[in-house]
């Protein structure tokens, strides 16, 4: 196989002469191709077959123990001007970056097969979709890309038709963090990643293309590439509203997007369109429309159980690749939270007999890769080339104190400030300390491909284009008491908050106006059948002026760090709230 696209042909030849693979394989995406890949990986130990009676066509991959999460300190934006990467990104001058990468990539595919993987991000016939080609020497990456994107022959056709594609070069190298780099060249529509086989570092269609490169393109072209789920919420009357929500990594997007309604909310249904990334375009009707660029989920395993998310458990019953979970001696996958006690004969994520002294059995960032169509709540609108119209945007993170269950911003501009101020306790999705509070604007801190101040400016500019944009809210499922117990049951019960949000957008739910926005009283929420302590409910819907004055002071310091790149409008909005708070 080859291509009629001359630029693609030439790039593949250049990469082959640099990396010197033994073989080149153009991926068609066929069933037979996948079977052969899987058989090879079973033979060389890259995959372990799970029990075909309980988990047909499902496999376990155990990564190198130092290659289990995104490595943000090794991720760079390489633009000719340093200012274009901005203060929140690592930057390297493009020539220097190319020099270092070439050194790591020279001969790196010797003895291996080089796979050429054409893919499309978005419904294959969507005007908003974008092609890409990932070259990789990892068959595990190919198998994952096959689930996560529209991959193979139809994608190549679309690329040849458009004449446009993002180039992604990936090589496992020696998997050493010392020789690992994940580099983005937005001015060249190019990504190069070496030294990691893990998710966001290696499946280049995902965070590298659909967020970092796409966010750069989106600013130029007047649209938005966001770290957001997309879901439909259907009322008992049959009215469906679509919501987007941006939460930092491992803060609940997948779980919210496929939420199982509580027993007492009869007639409510949820439809999943996307669970990690949204591309948003302004429609002719002035509304914001969202497509999901992905075709599968790369989701967090720990915490997934029949109690928290029975749909997810059903979804993972077949055709799933598990990465770094534990398994039983009869080869069934297991992770913390799946059942109360670990089963007997457990093998941990490093292939050792499970011993609690070695830490958890499944890595805290262990994941599943599964087709979106396996989700029982999969929305047929996912394939709509124009996407779905968005009623509300939610921001949220893990905040164990102060931040209420939900509040509504008073305007788009205020909503942009709420997004810019987003902060969360860190998780295992990236290497580094867990549980440290950090700012993560719009949940895009690790994924914004350009200057964060300019990104906020772009959000504000979108706000000036239409008066029919979504309303913006902030949510927090993660309040705790002094003993660490969650004050809100979360998961399916979060639908109660979504109901309030939708009714606010329709103009028929009550709330109390505070300086930070509108907060519901417990009585304004649907609490029928909710098992929660009234005192806890009262606490998580309470506005604490003293704590918020402190929070705002810290935000002021953070925003000042962006210097001339901080949009004046955002600064004005900050001042407005600060003075309201001082009067409160
Ligand atoms: P990425 O794929 O890293 O972007 O993560 P995500 O935002 O999709 O998060 P995900 O839904 O996978 O949830 C991450 C972790 O948070 C899992 O362990 C979940 O079980 C847990 N979680 C999700 N929703 C809730 C909730 O409402 N309450 C509580 N307490 N935990 C939750
Ligand atoms: C995240 O970390 O936000 C993820 C997993 O969704 S990764 O694909 O590694 O980015
Ligand atoms: Mn994510």
């Amino acid at each position: 196989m080859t291509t009629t696209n001359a630029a693609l042909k030439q790039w593949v030849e250049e990469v082959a002469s640099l990396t010197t693979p033994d073989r080149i394989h153009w991926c068609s995406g066929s069933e037979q191709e996948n079977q052969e890949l899987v058989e090879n990986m079973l033979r060389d130990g890259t995959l372990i077959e799970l029990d075909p009676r309980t988990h047909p066509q499902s496999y376990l991959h155990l990564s190198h123990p130092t290659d289990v999460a995104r490595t943000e300190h090794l991720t760079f934006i390489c633009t000719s001007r340093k200012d274009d990467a901005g203060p929140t990104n690592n930057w390297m001058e493009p020539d220097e970056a190319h020099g270092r990468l070439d050194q790591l990539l020279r001969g790196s595919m010797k003895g291996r097969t080089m796979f050429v993987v054409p893919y499309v991000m978005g419904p294959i016939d969507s005007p908003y979709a974008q092609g890409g080609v990932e070259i990789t020497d990892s068959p595990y990456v190919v198998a994952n890309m096959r689930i996560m994107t529209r991959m193979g022959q139809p994608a190549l056709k679309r690329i040849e038709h458009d004449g446009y594609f993002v180039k992604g070069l990936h090589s496992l190298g020696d998997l050493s963090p010392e020789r690992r780099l994940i580099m983005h060249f937005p001015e060249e529509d190019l990504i190069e990643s070496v030294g990691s086989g893990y998710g966001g570092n290696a499946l280049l269609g995902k965070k590298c293309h659909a967020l970092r490169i796409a966010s750069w393109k989106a600013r130029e072209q007047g649209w938005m590439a966001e770290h957001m789920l997309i879901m439909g919420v259907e009322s008992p009357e049959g009215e469906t509203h679509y919501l987007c929500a941006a939460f930092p990594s491992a803060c609940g997007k997948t779980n919210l997007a496929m939420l199982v309604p509580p027993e007492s909310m009869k007639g409510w249904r949820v439809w999943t369109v996307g669970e990690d990334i949204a591309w948003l375009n302004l429609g002719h009707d002035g509304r914001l429309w969202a497509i999901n660029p992905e075709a599968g989920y790369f989701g967090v395993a720990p915490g997934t159980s029949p109690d928290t998310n029975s749909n997810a458990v059903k979804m993972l019953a077949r055709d799933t690749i598990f990465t770094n979970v534990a398994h039983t001696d009869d080869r069934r996958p297991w992770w913390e939270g799946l059942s109360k006690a670990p089963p007997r004969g457990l093998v941990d994520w490093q292939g050792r007999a499970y011993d609690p002294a070695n830490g958890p059995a499944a890595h805290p960032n262990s994941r599943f890769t599964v087709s979106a169509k396996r989700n029982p709540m999969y929305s047929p609108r996912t394939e709509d080339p124009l996407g779905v119209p968005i009623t509300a945007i939610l921001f949220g993170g893990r905040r164990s104190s102060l931040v209420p269950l939900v509040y509504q911003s008073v305007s788009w501009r205020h909503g942009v400030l709420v997004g810019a101020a987003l902060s969360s306790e860190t998780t295992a999705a990236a290497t580094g300390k867990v549980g440290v509070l950090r700012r993560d604007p719009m949940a895009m801190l690790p994924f914004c491909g350009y200057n964060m101040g300019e990104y906020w400016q772009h959000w504000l500019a979108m706000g000036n284009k239409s008066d029919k944009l979504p309303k913006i809210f902030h949510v927090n499922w993660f309040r705790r008491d002094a003993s660490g117990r969650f004050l809100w049951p979360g998961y399916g019960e979060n639908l109660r908050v979504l109901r309030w949000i939708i009714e606010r957008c329709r103009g028929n739910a009550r709330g109390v106006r505070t300086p930070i926005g509108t907060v519901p009283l417990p009585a304004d929420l649907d609490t029928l059948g909710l098992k929660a302590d009234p005192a806890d409910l009262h606490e998580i819907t309470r506005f604490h002026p003293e704590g918020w004055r402190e929070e705002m002071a810290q935000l002021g310091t953070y925003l000042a760090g962006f210097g001339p790149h901080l949009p004046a409008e955002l600064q004005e909005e900050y001042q407005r709230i600060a003075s309201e708070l001082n009067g409160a």
Side-chain angles (χ1 to χ4, degrees):
M1 205 166 102
T2 178
T3 178
T4 57
N5 184 299
L8 174 56
K9 214 164 144 176
Q10 192 193 331
W11 176 60
V12 169
E13 280 163 16
E14 281 167 13
V15 170
S17 74
L18 175 67
T19 59
T20 62
D22 284 11
R23 269 162 263 101
I24 300 179
H25 177 96
W26 288 71
C27 293
S28 69
S30 75
E31 192 54 51
Q32 192 198 335
E33 175 183 81
N34 189 54
Q35 280 308 326
E36 283 170 19
L37 270 173
V38 167
E39 276 160 30
N40 286 339
M41 286 190 278
L42 290 172
R43 217 171 297 127
D44 73 11
T46 304
L47 294 182
I48 300 168
E49 188 176 23
L50 296 172
D51 183 347
R53 285 164 309 174
T54 58
H55 292 80
Q57 303 286 328
S58 295
Y59 308 97
L60 170 62
H61 171 73
L62 304 181
S63 11
H64 192 278
T66 60
D67 188 30
V68 292
R70 285 182 295 100
T71 39
E72 296 178 1
H73 61 292
L74 302 173
T75 303
F76 288 77
I77 303 294
C78 309
T79 46
S80 27
R81 291 171 0 125
K82 182 168 191 214
D83 221 26
D84 286 341
T88 60
N89 280 311
N90 300 314
W91 174 83
M92 201 181 288
E93 197 277 316
D95 284 342
E96 186 190 343
H98 279 302
R100 290 209 196 180
L101 284 162
D102 284 358
Q103 216 178 342
L104 294 172
L105 287 163
R106 190 157 295 123
S108 70
M109 297 190 188
K110 202 165 171 45
R112 299 180 187 167
T113 301
M114 176 175 119
F115 299 95
V116 181
V117 185
Y119 64 85
V120 164
M121 300 311 287
I124 199 110
D125 54 350
S126 169
Y128 307 132
Q130 243 178 43
V133 177
E134 174 161 0
I135 296 178
T136 178
D137 56 7
S138 161
Y140 165 81
V141 164
V142 178
N144 276 270
M145 287 293 283
R146 186 168 188 272
I147 298 173
M148 295 302 297
T149 70
R150 281 101 175 154
M151 177 270 247
Q153 195 57 49
L156 184 59
K157 270 225 165 65
R158 162 107 197 214
I159 287 167
E160 288 170 344
H161 173 268
D162 291 356
Y164 173 82
F165 65 100
V166 171
K167 301 194 270 290
L169 167 53
H170 169 253
S171 175
L172 292 170
D174 63 4
L175 291 178
S176 161
E178 313 297 309
R179 285 171 293 282
R180 179 180 301 164
L181 288 172
I182 299 102
M183 303 288 219
H184 304 74
F185 302 88
E187 293 153 333
E188 302 171 52
D189 292 319
L190 173 68
I191 305 148
E192 293 194 1
S193 165
V194 57
S196 168
Y198 173 78
N201 294 339
L203 311 178
L204 301 185
K206 197 173 174 57
K207 296 306 184 6
C208 301
H209 176 168
L211 287 179
R212 297 195 190 96
I213 298 288
S215 61
W216 176 286
K217 268 263 149 351
R219 178 183 51 162
E220 282 177 357
Q221 299 173 347
W223 52 284
M224 304 165 89
E226 301 296 334
H227 190 200
M228 290 178 178
L229 66 86
I230 311 164
M231 70 191 292
V233 178
E234 186 180 334
S235 71
E237 294 74 44
E239 189 176 304
T240 303
H241 285 271
Y242 292 92
L243 314 177
C244 279
F247 308 155
S249 302
C251 290
K253 290 180 299 301
T254 304
N255 278 277
L256 189 67
M258 55 188 300
L259 162 163
V260 182
E263 208 60 61
S264 52
M265 287 185 76
K266 289 249 173 320
W268 288 83
R269 291 190 68 167
V270 164
W271 299 97
T272 316
V273 178
E275 51 76 75
D276 198 47
I277 300 179
W279 284 357
L280 304 162
N281 284 273
L282 206 57
H284 296 299
D285 59 359
R287 292 190 293 175
L288 208 53
W289 290 68
I291 64 162
N292 173 11
E294 302 189 279
Y297 306 167
F298 183 62
V300 176
T304 309
S305 79
D307 295 336
T308 59
N309 191 338
S310 56
N311 264 309
V313 175
K314 283 184 205 131
M315 172 173 81
L316 304 177
R318 58 175 307 142
D319 303 316
T320 303
I321 302 173
F322 294 91
T323 301
N324 297 335
V325 301
H327 65 287
T328 60
D329 47 12
D330 49 4
R331 283 183 291 129
R332 298 181 187 181
W334 193 85
W335 49 81
E336 274 68 19
L338 180 60
S339 56
K340 289 233 154 48
R344 279 167 200 278
L346 198 59
V347 179
D348 78 3
W349 69 275
Q350 295 191 61
R352 305 171 296 198
Y354 171 57
D355 176 354
N358 291 330
H363 188 276
N365 191 41
S366 54
R367 299 251 167 186
F368 51 78
T369 315
V370 67
S371 164
K373 292 186 176 156
R374 289 271 325 139
N375 177 358
M377 294 165 160
Y378 174 78
S379 165
R381 292 290 298 272
T382 310
E383 290 298 329
D384 193 322
L386 297 180
V388 292
I390 301 304
T391 300
I393 289 175
L394 283 57
F395 292 114
R398 292 178 181 260
R399 290 294 306 258
S400 49
S401 60
L402 185 67
V403 179
L405 178 65
V406 56
Y407 61 94
Q408 180 180 8
S409 66
V410 299
S411 63
W412 179 267
R413 179 161 112 161
H414 178 207
V416 175
L417 182 68
V418 169
L422 187 59
S423 58
S424 183
E425 287 131 25
T426 50
T427 66
T431 52
K433 227 169 131 62
V434 168
V436 186
L437 189 65
R438 76 164 180 181
R439 297 273 161 201
D440 189 346
M442 280 84 170
M444 283 287 278
L445 179 71
F447 309 119
C448 183
Y450 60 103
N451 190 304
M452 188 63 79
E454 302 300 325
Y455 168 76
W456 294 336
Q457 187 60 57
H458 180 52
W459 266 81
L460 292 165
M462 291 299 292
N464 295 331
K465 288 186 185 176
S466 169
D467 56 8
K468 294 193 186 63
L469 293 181
K471 302 281 183 265
I472 301 179
F473 296 78
H474 190 286
V475 298
N476 179 22
W477 319 136
F478 298 95
R479 284 286 292 276
R480 293 176 193 255
D481 68 9
S483 72
R485 178 184 63 93
F486 285 114
L487 297 181
W488 173 251
Y491 298 101
E493 306 295 347
N494 294 334
L495 183 59
R496 300 173 189 279
V497 175
L498 303 186
R499 177 174 185 182
W500 183 79
I501 287 173
I502 290 166
E503 283 174 2
R504 285 295 296 175
C505 295
R506 299 171 76 230
N508 51 16
R510 290 157 58 118
V512 182
R513 176 74 167 79
T514 75
I516 61 164
T518 303
V519 187
L521 294 173
D524 301 325
L525 296 170
D526 172 353
T527 52
L528 184 75
L530 172 68
K531 284 189 212 71
D533 184 337
D536 291 347
L537 266 187
H538 175 71
E539 173 54 28
I540 63 180
T541 51
R542 212 149 71 90
F543 163 65
H544 294 270
E546 203 39 61
W548 275 100
R549 278 193 278 271
E550 208 174 293
E551 176 83 12
M552 282 301 277
Q554 285 165 15
L555 177 60
T557 311
Y558 177 71
L559 294 177
F562 290 85
H565 288 285
L566 177 68
E569 267 187 84
L570 219 53
Q571 181 60 31
E572 281 165 29
E573 195 60 23
Y574 174 82
Q575 289 303 345
R576 180 187 69 73
I577 296 166
S579 52
E580 257 193 66
L581 261 170
N582 288 330

Coordinates of all heavy atoms in Angstrom, one line a residue, residues 68-70 72 148 198-203 206-207 211-212 227 247-250 253-254 275-277 294 298-300 365 367 427-430 443 446-447, ligand 2:
V68 N 4.2 4.9 32.9 CA 2.8 4.6 33.3 C 1.9 5.8 33.3 O 0.7 5.7 33.7 CB 2.8 4.0 34.7 CG1 3.5 2.6 34.7 CG2 3.5 4.9 35.7
A69 N 2.4 7.0 32.9 CA 1.6 8.2 32.9 C 2.2 9.2 32.0 O 3.3 9.1 31.6 CB 1.5 8.7 34.3
R70 N 1.4 10.3 31.7 CA 2.0 11.4 30.9 C 3.2 12.0 31.7 O 3.1 12.1 32.9 CB 1.0 12.5 30.6 CG 0.0 12.0 29.5 CD -1.0 13.2 29.2 NE -1.9 13.4 30.3 CZ -1.7 14.4 31.2 NH1 -0.7 15.3 31.1 NH2 -2.5 14.5 32.2
E72 N 4.8 15.4 32.0 CA 4.6 16.8 31.6 C 5.9 17.5 31.5 O 6.1 18.4 30.6 CB 3.6 17.5 32.5 CG 2.2 16.8 32.4 CD 1.2 17.4 33.3 OE1 1.5 18.4 34.1 OE2 0.0 16.9 33.3
M148 N -9.2 4.0 19.3 CA -9.4 5.4 19.7 C -9.7 6.4 18.5 O -10.2 7.5 18.8 CB -8.1 5.9 20.4 CG -7.8 5.2 21.7 SD -9.1 5.3 22.9 CE -9.1 7.1 23.2
Y198 N 3.3 5.0 26.6 CA 2.1 5.3 27.4 C 1.1 6.2 26.7 O 1.5 7.3 26.3 CB 2.5 5.8 28.8 CG 1.2 6.2 29.5 CD1 0.4 5.2 30.1 CD2 0.8 7.5 29.5 CE1 -0.8 5.5 30.6 CE2 -0.5 7.8 30.1 CZ -1.2 6.9 30.6 OH -2.4 7.2 31.2
G199 N -0.2 5.9 26.7 CA -1.3 6.7 26.4 C -1.0 8.1 25.7 O -0.6 8.2 24.6
G200 N -1.2 9.1 26.5 CA -1.1 10.5 26.0 C 0.3 10.8 25.5 O 0.4 11.8 24.7
N201 N 1.3 10.1 25.8 CA 2.6 10.3 25.2 C 2.8 9.7 23.9 O 3.7 10.0 23.1 CB 3.7 9.7 26.1 CG 3.8 10.4 27.5 OD1 3.4 11.5 27.6 ND2 4.4 9.7 28.4
A202 N 2.0 8.7 23.6 CA 2.2 7.8 22.4 C 1.1 7.6 21.4 O 1.3 7.4 20.3 CB 2.6 6.4 23.0
L203 N -0.2 7.8 21.9 CA -1.3 7.7 21.0 C -1.5 9.2 20.5 O -2.2 10.0 21.1 CB -2.6 7.3 21.8 CG -2.4 6.0 22.6 CD1 -3.7 5.6 23.3 CD2 -2.0 4.8 21.7
K206 N -4.5 11.7 20.2 CA -5.3 12.2 21.4 C -4.8 13.6 21.9 O -5.2 14.6 21.3 CB -5.2 11.1 22.5 CG -6.2 11.2 23.5 CD -6.1 10.0 24.5 CE -7.0 10.1 25.7 NZ -8.5 10.3 25.4
K207 N -4.1 13.6 22.9 CA -3.7 14.9 23.5 C -2.8 15.7 22.6 O -3.0 16.9 22.5 CB -3.1 14.7 24.9 CG -4.0 14.1 25.9 CD -5.3 14.8 26.0 CE -6.3 14.4 27.0 NZ -6.2 13.4 28.0
L211 N -5.6 18.1 21.0 CA -5.6 19.2 21.9 C -4.5 20.2 21.6 O -4.7 21.4 21.3 CB -5.6 18.8 23.4 CG -6.9 18.2 23.9 CD1 -6.9 17.8 25.3 CD2 -8.1 19.3 23.7
R212 N -3.2 19.7 21.7 CA -2.1 20.8 21.6 C -2.1 21.4 20.2 O -2.1 22.6 20.0 CB -0.8 20.1 22.0 CG -0.8 19.7 23.5 CD 0.6 19.4 24.1 NE 0.4 18.8 25.4 CZ 0.5 17.5 25.6 NH1 0.7 16.6 24.6 NH2 0.3 17.0 26.8
H227 N -10.5 20.1 26.5 CA -10.4 18.9 27.2 C -11.8 18.6 28.0 O -11.9 18.8 29.2 CB -9.3 19.0 28.3 CG -8.9 17.7 29.0 ND1 -8.2 17.7 30.2 CD2 -9.1 16.4 28.7 CE1 -8.0 16.5 30.6 NE2 -8.5 15.7 29.7
F247 N -13.0 18.8 33.1 CA -12.4 18.5 34.4 C -10.9 18.0 34.2 O -10.7 17.3 33.2 CB -13.1 17.3 35.1 CG -14.6 17.5 35.3 CD1 -15.4 16.3 35.4 CD2 -15.2 18.7 35.3 CE1 -16.8 16.4 35.5 CE2 -16.6 18.8 35.4 CZ -17.4 17.7 35.5
P248 N -10.0 18.4 35.0 CA -8.6 17.9 34.8 C -8.6 16.4 34.8 O -9.5 15.7 35.1 CB -7.9 18.4 36.0 CG -8.7 19.7 36.4 CD -10.1 19.3 36.2
S249 N -7.4 15.9 34.3 CA -7.2 14.4 34.2 C -7.6 13.7 35.5 O -7.3 14.1 36.6 CB -5.8 14.1 33.8 OG -5.5 14.8 32.7
A250 N -8.3 12.6 35.3 CA -8.7 11.7 36.4 C -9.6 12.5 37.4 O -9.6 12.2 38.6 CB -7.5 11.0 37.1
K253 N -14.5 12.9 34.1 CA -15.2 13.1 32.8 C -15.8 11.9 32.3 O -17.0 11.9 31.9 CB -14.2 13.7 31.7 CG -13.7 15.1 32.0 CD -12.8 15.6 30.9 CE -11.5 14.8 30.8 NZ -10.7 14.8 32.1
T254 N -15.1 10.8 32.2 CA -15.6 9.5 31.7 C -16.8 9.1 32.5 O -17.9 8.7 32.0 CB -14.6 8.4 31.7 OG1 -13.4 8.9 30.9 CG2 -15.1 7.1 31.1
E275 N -16.0 11.6 25.9 CA -15.7 11.6 27.4 C -14.3 12.2 27.7 O -13.9 12.1 28.8 CB -15.8 10.1 27.9 CG -15.1 9.0 27.2 CD -13.6 9.0 27.4 OE1 -13.2 8.6 28.5 OE2 -12.9 9.4 26.4
D276 N -13.7 12.8 26.7 CA -12.4 13.4 27.0 C -12.1 14.7 26.2 O -11.5 15.6 26.8 CB -11.2 12.4 26.8 CG -9.9 12.8 27.5 OD1 -10.0 13.1 28.7 OD2 -8.9 12.8 26.8
I277 N -12.5 14.7 25.0 CA -12.1 15.9 24.1 C -13.3 16.3 23.3 O -14.1 15.5 22.8 CB -11.0 15.5 23.2 CG1 -9.7 15.0 24.0 CG2 -10.6 16.6 22.2 CD1 -8.5 14.6 23.2
E294 N -12.7 11.8 19.0 CA -12.3 10.4 19.2 C -13.3 9.4 18.9 O -14.5 9.7 18.8 CB -11.8 10.2 20.7 CG -10.7 11.2 21.1 CD -10.1 10.9 22.4 OE1 -10.7 11.3 23.5 OE2 -9.1 10.3 22.5
F298 N -10.1 6.0 26.5 CA -8.9 5.5 27.2 C -9.1 5.9 28.7 O -8.7 7.0 29.1 CB -7.6 6.2 26.6 CG -6.3 5.7 27.2 CD1 -5.9 4.4 27.1 CD2 -5.5 6.6 27.8 CE1 -4.7 4.0 27.6 CE2 -4.3 6.2 28.4 CZ -3.9 4.9 28.3
G299 N -9.8 5.1 29.4 CA -10.4 5.5 30.7 C -9.6 4.9 31.9 O -8.9 3.9 31.8
V300 N -9.8 5.6 33.0 CA -9.2 5.2 34.3 C -9.9 4.0 34.8 O -11.1 4.0 35.0 CB -9.3 6.3 35.3 CG1 -8.8 5.9 36.7 CG2 -8.6 7.6 34.8
N365 N -3.0 4.8 37.9 CA -3.4 5.3 36.5 C -3.6 4.2 35.5 O -3.3 4.4 34.3 CB -2.3 6.3 36.1 CG -2.8 7.1 34.8 OD1 -3.9 7.5 34.7 ND2 -1.9 7.2 33.9
R367 N -5.5 1.8 33.0 CA -6.5 2.3 32.0 C -7.1 1.1 31.2 O -6.6 0.0 31.1 CB -5.8 3.2 31.0 CG -5.2 4.5 31.7 CD -6.0 5.7 31.4 NE -5.6 6.8 32.3 CZ -6.2 8.0 32.2 NH1 -7.3 8.2 31.4 NH2 -5.9 9.0 33.0
T427 N -3.6 14.3 40.4 CA -3.9 12.9 40.3 C -2.8 12.1 39.7 O -1.8 12.6 39.3 CB -5.2 12.6 39.5 OG1 -4.8 13.0 38.1 CG2 -6.3 13.5 39.9
A428 N -3.0 10.7 39.6 CA -1.9 9.9 39.1 C -1.9 9.9 37.5 O -1.1 9.1 37.0 CB -2.2 8.4 39.6
A429 N -2.7 10.7 36.9 CA -2.7 10.7 35.4 C -1.4 11.3 34.8 O -1.0 11.0 33.7 CB -3.9 11.5 34.9
A430 N -0.7 12.0 35.6 CA 0.7 12.5 35.2 C 1.7 12.2 36.3 O 1.3 12.1 37.5 CB 0.6 14.0 35.0
A443 N -8.9 23.0 32.6 CA -8.4 21.7 32.5 C -7.4 21.5 31.4 O -7.2 20.4 30.9 CB -9.5 20.6 32.5
P446 N -2.0 21.1 30.9 CA -1.0 20.2 30.2 C -1.2 20.1 28.7 O -0.5 19.5 28.0 CB -1.2 18.9 30.8 CG -2.2 19.0 31.9 CD -2.9 20.2 31.6
F447 N -2.3 20.7 28.2 CA -2.7 20.5 26.8 C -2.9 21.7 25.9 O -3.1 21.5 24.7 CB -4.1 19.7 26.8 CG -4.0 18.5 27.7 CD1 -4.9 18.4 28.8 CD2 -3.1 17.5 27.5 CE1 -4.9 17.3 29.6 CE2 -3.1 16.3 28.3 CZ -4.0 16.2 29.4
Ligands
LIG2 C1 -5.5 12.4 30.7 O1 -4.4 12.3 31.3 O2 -6.1 13.5 30.6 C2 -6.0 11.3 29.9 C3 -5.1 10.1 29.7 O3 -7.1 11.4 29.3 S1 -3.9 10.5 28.5 O4 -4.3 9.9 27.2 O5 -2.6 9.9 28.9 O6 -3.7 11.9 28.3

